[in-house]
Amino acid sequence: MREIVQSTIPRETIMQDGDTFNIKTIAQKITEVKFKVGEEFEGEIHQGKVKISPTLDSGKLRFEFDSPKGKQVQEREVRADGRLYLIHGLPTGDKVKTLKLGEEVEDQGRLGKMKVKAVKDGNKVCSTETYANGKTSSTVREVNGDEMTVTMTTGDFTVSHVYKRE
């Protein structure tokens, strides 16, 4: 299983025909969803099946849904640089968490409350997450030219993803 996860490079294709969209995601498994803007549909997230309400506003494709952790929002947008941005909204309403290098901040993760501290090491940004139960995980983001490698480690489990600028 670890080899499968480590060898996966997520890729998403979005096709639009008027108000109808088809999103195909290739990751650990291939998923495909077809929907029409303004019409609720059933989708699946890692916590299970949910009802998703899609809207399209100023070029942003927005999904709103209720999950066991509260209201979630996802936005997909192709920006001027030609890249697709996926923005996840948190139940708190925040969209982006900002870390100041070297400072520890409190945050809410999938496993509950945690403290996060990030430091820069050359072309790497390394963060350590410490959860209330004492468990820790780390994330290393390394940029080399047009590639960014993200390596996440929890216990003896490590996953790496390589993202390439196109």
Side-chain angles (χ1 to χ4, degrees), residues 70-123:
K71 183 178 179 178
Q72 301 281 312
V73 176
Q74 289 182 355
E75 291 179 345
R76 288 167 171 81
E77 171 186 20
V78 177
R79 295 190 180 164
D81 61 7
R83 290 186 275 172
L84 174 68
Y85 287 80
L86 175 59
I87 302 163
H88 290 278
L90 305 173
T92 60
D94 295 337
K95 291 187 180 176
V96 177
K97 290 289 182 183
T98 303
L99 296 176
K100 194 171 196 180
L101 293 176
E103 283 187 18
E104 188 174 77
V105 298
E106 289 192 14
D107 197 1
Q108 180 73 29
R110 287 185 179 163
L111 301 177
K113 289 186 178 185
M114 64 181 172
K115 292 184 178 182
V116 182
K117 185 174 183 179
V119 295
K120 189 166 193 241
D121 180 15
N123 63 342

Side-chain angles (χ1 to χ4, degrees), residues 45 47 50 65-72 91:
I45 60 173
Q47 292 120 337
V50 294
F65 54 93
D66 288 317
S67 77
K69 295 190 177 192
K71 183 178 179 178
Q72 301 281 312

Side-chain angles (χ1 to χ4, degrees), residues 40-54:
E40 186 177 80
F41 67 96
E42 188 172 272
E44 192 166 343
I45 60 173
H46 62 278
Q47 292 120 337
K49 292 186 179 193
V50 294
K51 296 283 186 187
I52 300 173
S53 299

Side-chain angles (χ1 to χ4, degrees), residues 12-165:
E12 187 170 81
T13 303
I14 300 175
M15 295 173 33
Q16 179 182 7
D17 182 12
D19 282 347
T20 302
F21 284 82
N22 182 6
I23 299 178
K24 184 176 184 179
T25 305
I26 301 171
Q28 290 104 328
K29 64 179 184 175
I30 298 173
T31 58
E32 191 167 1
V33 61
K34 295 179 184 179
F35 61 91
K36 189 171 183 177
V37 171
E39 293 181 8
E40 186 177 80
F41 67 96
E42 188 172 272
E44 192 166 343
I45 60 173
H46 62 278
Q47 292 120 337
K49 292 186 179 193
V50 294
K51 296 283 186 187
I52 300 173
S53 299
T55 58
L56 182 64
D57 184 34
S58 301
K60 290 182 185 179
L61 182 58
R62 180 181 173 94
F63 291 153
E64 291 187 20
F65 54 93
D66 288 317
S67 77
K69 295 190 177 192
K71 183 178 179 178
Q72 301 281 312
V73 176
Q74 289 182 355
E75 291 179 345
R76 288 167 171 81
E77 171 186 20
V78 177
R79 295 190 180 164
D81 61 7
R83 290 186 275 172
L84 174 68
Y85 287 80
L86 175 59
I87 302 163
H88 290 278
L90 305 173
T92 60
D94 295 337
K95 291 187 180 176
V96 177
K97 290 289 182 183
T98 303
L99 296 176
K100 194 171 196 180
L101 293 176
E103 283 187 18
E104 188 174 77
V105 298
E106 289 192 14
D107 197 1
Q108 180 73 29
R110 287 185 179 163
L111 301 177
K113 289 186 178 185
M114 64 181 172
K115 292 184 178 182
V116 182
K117 185 174 183 179
V119 295
K120 189 166 193 241
D121 180 15
N123 63 342
K124 298 178 185 177
V125 174
C126 309
S127 62
T128 302
E129 300 84 20
T130 305
Y131 295 90
N133 64 7
K135 291 187 178 185
T136 62
S137 62
S138 65
T139 304
V140 177
R141 294 167 181 84
E142 181 177 10
V143 177
N144 286 311
D146 285 347
E147 288 189 358
M148 179 176 70
T149 303
V150 179
T151 304
M152 296 162 279
T153 303
T154 300
D156 66 347
F157 186 71
T158 299
V159 176
S160 292
H161 291 282
V162 177
Y163 299 89
K164 296 182 181 183
R165 184 180 305 178

